[in-house]
Each structure stands twice: as C-alpha cells, then as structure tokens.
Amino acid sequence: MDMHIFLVLSMFVVLVGFLLSGFPVAFTLGGTGLLFGLIGIITGTLDATFLEILPNRLFGNVIRNELLFAIPLFVSMGVMLEKSNVAEDLLENMGRLFGKLRGGLGISVTIVGALLAASTGIVGATVVTMALLSLPTMLKRGYDPSLATGSIAAAGTLGQIIPPSIVLILLADVISSAWQQAQLNTGNFSPIPMSAGELFAGALVPGLILVGFYILYQIAIAVLRPGASPAIPKSETDVLDAAFYGRLFLALAPPLVLIIAVLGSILTGIATPTEAASVGAIGAIMLGAARLDGWTRNIVIGALLCLVVLLSLSNVADLRMERAVVPTSDRIAYYGAIALTLAFLFGLAWALFKTHRANVLGEVLKSTVRISTMIYAILIGAALFSLVFRGLGGDAAIEDLLHGLPGGQFTAILLVMVLMFVLGFFLDFIEITFVVVPVVAPALLAMDGTYGPIWLGVLIAMNLQTSFLTPPFGFALFYLRGVVPESVPTTAIYRGVVPFVIIQLLALLLIALEPELVTWLPNLLF
C-alpha cells in the first residue's frame, strides 16, 4: 500500500478512536493532525514547509472570518431567550390552545419547538426547558412515556435545520470553502461564492416541512392510538375568551417579532447573518429585560419605538450634514435622529442594567463565552487536521474514490449520506462537520451535478440533525435523560425517538428527490 494512503487511513482510525474515548474534540483534531504531520515529515511524505501555511490559514479562515462572528451573537441571543422564560409562556399558552384535542399537547410541543428553533437554535437548552415544563403535564394526562419523550427530543432538535442555526453557520463556512475549491479545481479562477443567507433560505422550507411531518405524526397517533395521547378534559381547560387570546398574543408576539427581524433581514438581503445576529442579541436583551417588571417594559417599548421612528426618519430625510446647502427640514431631522439615538441607547443601557441586577446577564455572558470558545477551539484543531490531511494527499484520494464509484454523483452522495448517518450514532454534529464535510464536499461538488452547494448543504444539515436522536450517543437523549423522572426508563426514550428518526430520514429522502424544495427560495430571493 502507498505510504500516503496508509497515513490517510491511519489518521481517520486514530481520530475516531480518540473521539470515541471521550477525549476533547479540539485537542483530538489538533493533536491527530500534529502527530501525523510529524510522522509525514519523518517518513518524507509531507513537506515540512507545508505546515507553515497554518498561521495564515487560521488568521484568514478563522480569526478574520466575519461569518463566524455570528456564532457568539446567536448563542447569546438564544441563552438570553432561554433565561427570560419565553419557552415557559409559549408552552403554557399553546398547551391551553390545543389541549382540548387528542394529541394537542404533542402538537403544542412541536410548534413551540419550531418557534424556539427560529429564535434560539440551541438544542440542549430547548430540550431541557421543554422537558421540565411539558413532560410532567403530558405524563399526568396519560400520555405514553415513549411518545411524550420522543416528541420533546425531536422538537428540541429543530434548531439544527430551522434558521438561524449554529449548525447552518458552520456548514455555510465549510461548504462555501469547498465550493470555491471545487470550482478552482475545474479551472474556474473566478469562483461564484455561496453565502450563509442562501443556505438559510434553502433550509427554511425543508425545516417547515419537517415540522409538518411531526404534527401529522402526532395526529396519526391520536387517531390510531387514542389512549397514547388523550385530550385534557374540557372542565380543566381555560375558556378561550378574549383574555386568553390576549395572553397568547403577548406570549407569541415578542419572539415572532424577533424572528422576523433577524431572519427576515437575512433573507431579504438587508443584513448579513453577522449583522442580523447583532440585532437578535440586542433584541433578546431588551426582551429579557421587559419581562422583569412593568416600568422596565415601558422603557423598552419606548426605546423600540424610538428605533422605529429613527429608521423611518432615515428613509424620508437626508441626514448628511457635510453638504454645501442643508435644508432646515433636514437639519431638524438630523438633530431629531440624534435625540432618538440617545433615547434608544438609554433604553438599551437600562435593559443591560436590569438584566445584570437580576443575575441574568452574567449567566448569559458566561454561557456565550464557554460555547463560543469551544467552537473556536474546534475550528483551530480542524484547520490543522485538514491541512495535514490535504498535505498527505487525502483529498485527492477521496476524490478519486468517489469519482470511481459506479452511478456517478448519485452513488457518491448516497454513500456519504449513509456514512454520516452511521457516524451520527457515535459522533456529534460538530465532529462530523469538521472531520467529514471538508473532506467529501469538494469531491462531491466537483462532480457533474445540477443543484450545487445549497442543496448539498441542506442535505448534510438534515442528516446531521439525526445525530442528536440516534442512540447510543444522541445528545438530545442525554439532555432528556438528565431531567426525565426515574419512572421513565431509558428504553422508553429510545423507543420514542425511533419514529422521529424515520420521519427525518423520509424528509431527507424527499428533499433528495425534489431538490426544488431547497433551491426554490434561494433562487427567488438571491
């Protein structure tokens, strides 16, 4: 066997061995890359000067990568919404709205999971929060434990496919680099870039289809097995009067406005994902503060109204003061804009002060730093691993392997999807994203295909979502097991997630056979 091929195969074996042993991912990636880099230099299969590329690679692809700045911002947005009890209000009111129907509590969990996915995108927080709030009620009302736990775990993973999502941001960075590399390899020295906004748009429709499949499953169980998902007796539910719908509106409106502001600005091209993430982070802070007391709520509403007026003013008046002649109306608008900006900054400062006094802001910042540091450490380790892998000729070997398969791109994509699904039983999505995707994506995108990087990125994202539910190492299962009562056995949780894994695979098959479900919205918007 050629020494290059032997070292490439050995890299993967050693890497997977360390990952399965529970060694930290970042150190595993970086350490394996460094170890085999030294072996390659000693055996003469890797040029030592090749590793000198690493500092420039880290500086250009990680440190100065503007897209990755969105990660801590989206994380802080999600953690703040978690701490401000948005999920509690949503679950309570949705449960009352659908509780009179058989399967209503399961439907409400799915809808709330979708709303939290579009506003937080943090799977662990969503699963734990919904389990603590809804599982006792579902079990008390006679829900089958497997159905109840499976519904909560599956709804919690929707944050992986419904944008804005941390996984989609990481995939956008990896797939974009692979797409440019694939175009350069084919002789196109002016490669067409792929933006994170396009991947967000491509994932939106499949994400909503998956939510629809979950709801249809809840309805089917309610019809076929009425005893598994009983309705709440009418005598124990609230009257759906004007007061109830008022509470429902107050629970739904703030997160919906935040979702529309963040996701809408990305999809319409008004803002980049990083800029939209900053809007989301600030909006989450103000929303969290507004829920503390009535006085703060009034200040936050006033600050947001000032922001709306300021944006409107910038569209109707020319606020540039360096012109030779400035009309009086524009001068008045200019000073009015300054006053509105100061008023908004006061509202934001007050929101920061109140969340700090409530011991919420500090917890949010600690969680944001911890999660973001972990992701950036993995990025650095993955950069070293992929650099050594390419230096040993691993990318060329993978490309030759995939191109040599009978059936062309279809067989290659099928093989890669099966590989990722199997790896999802043992590895989490970050490990697969930084180990497998950079290796196989350039080869897949270099083949003669019709649908390009957005379709491939959404396929991979949908596949990675199953890694949260597949035993034995599905992270959503671990989160759920930590808060589920001892009376619910682990086997019940595993049985409960199996139908939802099958539903995810059916959704994956659907978008594989109907790529227009992915490409339609990006083509329309971009």
Side-chain angles (χ1 to χ4, degrees), residues 115-172:
L115 291 172
L116 292 178
S119 54
T120 66
I122 301 176
V123 171
T126 304
V127 170
V128 170
T129 301
M130 291 200 300
L132 290 174
L133 296 175
S134 61
L135 185 60
T137 302
M138 297 175 81
L139 296 177
K140 179 182 176 182
R141 299 302 175 188
Y143 261 69
D144 180 80
S146 295
L147 176 62
T149 53
S151 302
I152 292 170
T157 63
L158 289 171
Q160 296 301 101
I161 190 66
I162 296 179
S165 156
I166 301 299
V167 124
L168 290 177
I169 292 176
L170 298 175
L171 268 179

Side-chain angles (χ1 to χ4, degrees), residues 82-381:
E82 175 208 348
K83 300 293 185 184
S84 58
N85 297 326
V86 171
E88 183 175 352
D89 284 354
L90 286 173
L91 279 170
E92 181 181 353
N93 287 283
M94 284 295 176
R96 291 172 177 172
L97 181 63
F98 293 103
K100 295 180 180 180
L101 306 173
R102 283 205 307 265
L105 289 177
I107 294 172
S108 66
V109 164
T110 301
I111 293 175
V112 172
L115 291 172
L116 292 178
S119 54
T120 66
I122 301 176
V123 171
T126 304
V127 170
V128 170
T129 301
M130 291 200 300
L132 290 174
L133 296 175
S134 61
L135 185 60
T137 302
M138 297 175 81
L139 296 177
K140 179 182 176 182
R141 299 302 175 188
Y143 261 69
D144 180 80
S146 295
L147 176 62
T149 53
S151 302
I152 292 170
T157 63
L158 289 171
Q160 296 301 101
I161 190 66
I162 296 179
S165 156
I166 301 299
V167 124
L168 290 177
I169 292 176
L170 298 175
L171 268 179
D173 184 58
V174 173
I175 294 288
S176 178
S177 300
W179 175 234
Q180 293 187 44
Q181 181 184 337
Q183 292 181 90
L184 290 171
N185 292 342
T186 59
N188 179 9
F189 296 104
S190 298
I192 302 171
M194 186 208 75
S195 67
E198 291 176 291
L199 189 60
F200 280 12
L204 184 59
V205 173
L208 295 177
I209 289 174
L210 189 59
V211 173
F213 282 175
Y214 285 176
I215 293 175
L216 288 176
Y217 173 72
Q218 299 283 355
I219 295 173
I221 292 296
V223 172
L224 299 175
R225 295 170 51 203
S229 54
I232 298 177
K234 292 184 179 180
S235 59
E236 299 181 24
T237 57
D238 290 350
V239 178
L240 302 184
D241 55 8
F244 167 78
Y245 286 110
R247 293 194 301 271
L248 179 63
F249 174 78
L250 290 177
L252 277 175
L256 281 177
V257 169
L258 195 60
I259 292 168
I260 293 171
V262 174
L263 192 55
S265 62
I266 296 173
L267 297 182
T268 56
I270 296 175
T272 66
T274 303
E275 293 165 345
S278 63
V279 172
I282 291 175
I285 289 171
M286 301 188 80
L287 175 60
R291 301 171 67 84
L292 295 176
D293 58 68
W295 179 247
T296 301
R297 185 182 306 116
N298 293 334
I299 292 178
V300 168
I301 293 174
L304 293 176
L305 288 175
C306 289
L307 181 61
V308 171
V309 175
L310 177 62
L311 294 174
S312 302
L313 191 62
S314 64
N315 288 324
V316 299
D318 190 342
L319 302 180
R320 296 173 299 168
M321 291 293 105
E322 67 275 8
R323 293 172 291 165
V325 178
V326 181
T328 304
S329 58
D330 287 349
R331 193 176 296 277
I332 293 174
Y334 173 76
Y335 289 112
I338 292 176
L340 291 169
T341 302
L342 293 175
F344 173 76
L345 290 176
F346 171 77
L348 177 59
W350 184 260
L352 290 169
F353 171 72
K354 294 297 291 186
T355 51
H356 171 67
R357 287 288 300 272
N359 295 322
V360 172
L361 185 62
E363 290 298 319
V364 170
L365 294 179
K366 289 177 183 177
S367 297
T368 301
V369 170
R370 184 169 58 251
I371 296 172
S372 302
T373 301
M374 177 197 70
I375 293 175
Y376 269 89
I378 293 173
L379 282 167
I380 293 171

Side-chain angles (χ1 to χ4, degrees), residues 456-474:
L456 180 63
V458 174
L459 273 181
I460 293 173
M462 186 74 78
N463 201 338
L464 291 178
Q465 187 182 353
T466 64
S467 68
F468 275 87
L469 295 178
T470 46
F473 298 121

Side-chain angles (χ1 to χ4, degrees), residues 7-16 19 25-37 50-51 54 57-58 378-392 431 434-436 438-439:
L7 289 178
V8 166
L9 293 176
S10 300
M11 279 190 77
F12 267 107
V13 172
V14 172
L15 178 68
V16 172
L19 290 175
V25 179
F27 299 136
T28 296
L29 286 168
T32 304
L34 186 60
L35 173 63
F36 279 87
F50 199 77
L51 294 178
L54 182 63
R57 191 182 181 91
L58 291 177
I378 293 173
L379 282 167
I380 293 171
L384 177 56
F385 179 87
S386 62
L387 182 64
V388 173
F389 184 83
R390 288 194 172 92
L392 294 174
E431 295 162 359
F434 291 121
V435 173
V436 180
V439 173

Side-chain angles (χ1 to χ4, degrees), residues 64-80:
R64 294 189 61 186
N65 190 335
E66 183 180 337
L67 176 61
L68 298 179
F69 294 165
I71 292 175
L73 294 170
F74 276 132
V75 170
S76 65
M77 170 183 164
V79 176
M80 178 59 78

